[in-house]
Amino acid sequence: MDTLSFRPATHADIPALVALVTSAYRGDVSRQGWTTEADLLDGQRIDPDVLARDIGRARSRILVAERAGEMLACAHVAEEDGAGYFGMFSVRPDLQGGGVGKAMLAEAERIAREDWQLPTMRMTVIDIRDELIAFYGRRGYACTGIKKPFPYGDERYGIPKRADLRFEILEKPLTGAAA
């Protein structure tokens, strides 16, 4: 089997990135994996214009994982408020649970720690996603106790099916962490 490789996304990748992120979180195809938000949200999961800005801004990288030239996963890693930020984490639903995601997370942490010398990685997770929070907990992330409101009314983030969605902030120290 070919080795997993990582590269920064380009603007030419935007249509494939939108398709990958959507497949991991929305609609029936997302139900093949365990990261689906299909019971929580409809609509888009990523806005192409926001994605284009994230590709172009400093200290921001849309990371793509490929094997034999095929896009398998992606994530956004950036510097925000002196810490690393990890988001838009998507693995093709039929490959979830096979180690691609763990490798992607480790590479994003390496970028924040080694390339940008950041002490911490943070992320936001919908707070009722217990299985997802537990996944990150097994990788050294802890809930900070900080909650943020879900952006109801902004369809760039999806159309909520529930009225009780909030974001939980998770954090992991990167200093001295192994890749």
Side-chain angles (χ1 to χ4, degrees), residues 8 13-14 16-17 35 44 51 67 74 81 84 101-102 105 113 122 128 130 139 149-150 152 169 176:
D13 292 314
I14 290 175
L17 289 165
T35 62
Q44 70 179 17
L51 188 54
R67 184 173 288 134
C74 65
D81 300 322
K102 291 173 194 159
L105 180 58
R113 182 182 58 252
R122 292 187 188 125
I128 58 175
D130 295 332
R139 275 136 202 94
F150 187 86
Y152 286 93
I169 308 299

Side-chain angles (χ1 to χ4, degrees), residues 41 160 165:
L41 297 153
L165 302 179

Side-chain angles (χ1 to χ4, degrees), residues 105 123 130-143 170-172:
L105 180 58
M123 66 179 72
D130 295 332
E131 187 178 5
L132 190 56
I133 291 170
F135 169 84
Y136 289 120
R138 291 188 299 275
R139 275 136 202 94
Y141 287 82
C143 294
L170 306 181
E171 186 173 276
K172 175 183 180 176

Side-chain angles (χ1 to χ4, degrees), residues 32-33 67 70-73 91-101:
Q32 293 177 40
R67 184 173 288 134
E70 182 180 5
M71 186 182 294
L72 307 180
V91 176
R92 219 173 68 189
D94 62 325
L95 297 176
Q96 292 177 15
V100 173

Side-chain angles (χ1 to χ4, degrees), residues 20-91:
L20 173 62
V21 173
T22 300
S23 75
Y25 291 97
R26 299 287 194 269
D28 287 335
V29 72
S30 72
R31 295 179 193 280
Q32 293 177 40
W34 64 275
T35 62
T36 185
E37 295 172 345
D39 293 329
L40 306 175
L41 297 153
D42 273 332
Q44 70 179 17
R45 176 59 165 75
I46 184 64
D47 181 78
D49 294 332
V50 170
L51 188 54
R53 282 193 300 274
D54 288 339
I55 288 171
R57 74 180 164 107
R59 306 278 277 193
S60 172
R61 191 173 303 166
I62 304 300
L63 189 61
V64 172
E66 296 178 320
R67 184 173 288 134
E70 182 180 5
M71 186 182 294
L72 307 180
C74 65
H76 181 209
V77 60
E79 181 177 359
E80 291 186 1
D81 300 322
Y85 171 77
F86 181 75
M88 200 187 74
F89 185 27
S90 305
V91 176

